C-alpha cells in the first residue's frame, strides 16, 4: 500500500518543527499586491542634469567671450562679413542659460530645458555656420579669420549632442 507524503506528515507544517523557507510555502498576496502599478516618469537624474547644465553654462561663457573678443578686435572694420552680431549672440546665449537653469532646477522638467537647449544651440549653430561661410578668406593670415567661428561651430555641435543625450536619457531611449 502506498501512502502520499501528506499522509505520512512529511509535507505537513503541523508536524514539522523547522519553518519552511519562503519558496516552499504558498505565497499569500492580496489583490492589491498582485496588481503592478507602473509610473511613467520622464526626467534626468541629478548627475546628468548637473553635467548638461554645467556644459551649457561653460559654452555660454566661451561663446560670449568669443563674440566679445572678435567684435572688439574688428571694431574698426564693422562692415566685415562674418562678424558676430550682438542680437544673435545675446539671443543664443540667453536661451542657453535659460535652458541650463530649467534643466538644473527640477529633473521632472528637464526635458523642457533640453528642448529649449536644442532650439537655442540649433540657432547658434546656424548663425556660426553662416559666419564661417560669410567670413572672407585671407591667405596671409594664420590660422585665419574662419578659425574662430569654425571652432565655435564645433563647440555648438558638442552642446547640441549633450542636449540630445539628455533628452534621450530623460525619456529612457
Amino acid at each position: 500500500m502506498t501512502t502520499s507524503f501528506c499522509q505520512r506528515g512529511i509535507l505537513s507544517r503541523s508536524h514539522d518543527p523547522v519553518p519552511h523557507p519562503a519558496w516552499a510555502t504558498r505565497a499569500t498576496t492580496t489583490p492589491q499586491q498582485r496588481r503592478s502599478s507602473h509610473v511613467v516618469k520622464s526626467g534626468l537624474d541629478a548627475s546628468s542634469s548637473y553635467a548638461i547644465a554645467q556644459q551649457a553654462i561653460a559654452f555660454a561663457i566661451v561663446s560670449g567671450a568669443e563674440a566679445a573678443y572678435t567684435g572688439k578686435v574688428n571694431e574698426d572694420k564693422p562692415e566685415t562679413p562674418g562678424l558676430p552680431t550682438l542680437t544673435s549672440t545675446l539671443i543664443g546665449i540667453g536661451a542657453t542659460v535659460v535652458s541650463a537653469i530649467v534643466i538644473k532646477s527640477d529633473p521632472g522638467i528637464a526635458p523642457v530645458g533640453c528642448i529649449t537647449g536644442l532650439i537655442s544651440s540649433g540657432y547658434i549653430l546656424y548663425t556660426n555656420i553662416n559666419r564661417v561661410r560669410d567670413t572672407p578668406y585671407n591667405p596671409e593670415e594664420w590660422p585665419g579669420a574662419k578659425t574662430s567661428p569654425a571652432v565655435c561651430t564645433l563647440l555648438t555641435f558638442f552642446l547640441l549632442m549633450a542636449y540630445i543625450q539628455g533628452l534621450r536619457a530623460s525619456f529612457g531611449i
Side-chain angles (χ1 to χ4, degrees), residues 19-82:
H20 291 282
W23 57 267
T25 59
R26 183 169 182 229
T28 56
T29 58
T30 63
Q32 289 82 15
Q33 291 173 336
R34 282 183 283 218
R35 281 187 227 132
S36 64
S37 62
H38 297 285
V39 176
V40 178
K41 185 177 176 183
S42 65
L44 285 173
D45 60 338
S47 62
S48 296
S49 63
Y50 182 72
I52 293 172
Q54 188 178 25
Q55 290 173 20
I57 295 297
F59 169 77
I61 291 169
V62 169
S63 184
E66 185 274 332
Y69 176 75
T70 304
K72 182 69 173 168
V73 168
N74 295 312
E75 69 183 355
D76 58 337
K77 308 178 258 180
E79 300 86 29
T80 305

Side-chain angles (χ1 to χ4, degrees), residues 70 80-84 128-138 141 144-150:
T70 304
T80 305
L83 292 179
N128 283 333
I129 288 172
N130 285 338
R131 284 182 55 204
V132 170
R133 189 189 64 213
D134 294 342
T135 302
Y137 175 71
N138 186 355
E141 291 182 7
K146 292 185 181 231
T147 303
S148 179

